[in-house]
Amino acid sequence: MVRIAIFASGGGSNAEKIIQYFEHHPTIQIALVISNNKNAGVLGIADRYKVPSQVIHRKDMYESDHLLTLLKNYKIDLLVLAGFLWLIPAYLISAYTNKIINIHPSLLPKYGGKGMYGHHVHEAVKADQSAISGMTVHLVNEKYDEGGIIFQKECKLNQDMNATEIAAEVLKLEHKYFSAVIENYITTHINRLK
Ligand code: GRF
């Protein structure tokens, strides 16, 4: 089994899709959900699907080995960031090199980097009157949104769409493709992961 921990800070609609997709998977299991926000919707989703979950505090992530110990205890092989807002620290990237995947709601490198998350991304796309947007799945390194790109998918926008409508269009793509991209990454890089 390849065991995944999903990291999420918010509602967790992507997390829910991923949990559903792998619920009866023969070789891949969602073993843990981690959130930095005790009020995050994703924690209720984890409960509903009987996936263990943990809330972490800043010091667990940046000033102690609590998080690493937790991931070891749960025998986690791969980290999937689905709307997780904290920067992943260097020690975690060393421990999980090429084993941390993030989803970003734009066609990186456009509309990425610090501060570019959630509605900020879609408002910037709108301000540019961009004709397209889309989603990117990428590996995580020490800089926000700069790791190697695994997958991108674009959607066409029309000029009268507002930022909320753009976000909804991009989220549809995320829900449709993210889980299969994770599965494909695992099956094609299985040796590195185990
Ligand atoms: C998604 O748009 C994702 O790309 C971004 O945060 C959003 C998370 O949405 N990183 P949800 O919590 O999965 O609904």
Side-chain angles (χ1 to χ4, degrees):
M1 273 287 176
V2 171
R3 292 168 62 83
I4 296 176
I6 298 176
F7 285 59
S9 302
S13 69
N14 277 289
E16 181 163 19
K17 291 283 173 195
I18 297 165
I19 291 169
Q20 287 171 344
Y21 188 92
F22 291 109
E23 216 175 354
H24 304 293
H25 198 284
T27 57
I28 298 170
Q29 186 185 356
I30 307 305
L32 184 62
V33 166
I34 289 180
S35 185
N36 59 315
N37 173 4
K38 66 176 175 14
N39 299 315
V42 71
L43 295 169
I45 292 171
D47 283 353
R48 225 179 315 129
Y49 290 89
K50 303 198 178 354
V51 176
S53 63
Q54 293 272 336
V55 175
I56 52 162
H57 303 282
R58 269 198 176 271
K59 63 174 177 1
D60 300 331
M61 183 121 168
Y62 298 109
E63 292 164 34
S64 78
D65 56 8
H66 174 88
L67 179 58
L68 207 49
T69 306
L70 182 67
L71 296 173
K72 293 254 154 73
N73 287 347
Y74 277 89
K75 299 186 169 45
I76 299 300
D77 301 299
L78 181 77
L79 315 188
V80 170
L81 315 185
F84 187 67
L85 296 181
W86 286 357
L87 188 66
I88 299 298
Y91 75 84
L92 211 51
I93 292 165
S94 315
Y96 284 92
T97 306
N98 295 320
K99 297 176 189 170
I100 310 178
I101 294 176
N102 183 43
I103 189 162
H104 186 81
S106 77
L107 297 169
L108 290 174
K110 287 186 136 193
Y111 310 108
K114 195 166 167 42
M116 272 294 178
Y117 61 88
H119 65 99
H120 299 290
V121 174
H122 306 296
E123 275 156 17
V125 169
K126 176 66 191 171
D128 284 354
Q129 290 292 315
S130 178
I132 57 166
S133 191
M135 61 173 281
T136 301
V137 179
H138 65 94
L139 293 171
V140 172
N141 65 17
E142 285 161 47
K143 295 195 177 145
Y144 278 111
D145 304 327
E146 289 188 17
I149 289 173
I150 298 170
F151 177 87
Q152 290 187 302
K153 193 83 186 175
E154 69 175 55
C155 55
K156 292 200 172 65
L157 305 178
N158 59 53
Q159 299 307 299
D160 41 280
M161 285 167 95
N162 62 32
T164 306
E165 290 163 334
I166 296 170
E169 208 54 32
V170 172
L171 194 64
K172 268 194 237 162
L173 289 181
E174 298 185 30
H175 290 171
K176 183 164 179 196
Y177 293 104
F178 193 19
S179 300
V181 170
I182 295 166
E183 182 182 35
N184 189 52
Y185 183 75
I186 291 170
T187 47
T188 53
H189 296 82
I190 196 80
N191 293 335
R192 263 201 271 159
L193 292 171
K194 289 305 271 185

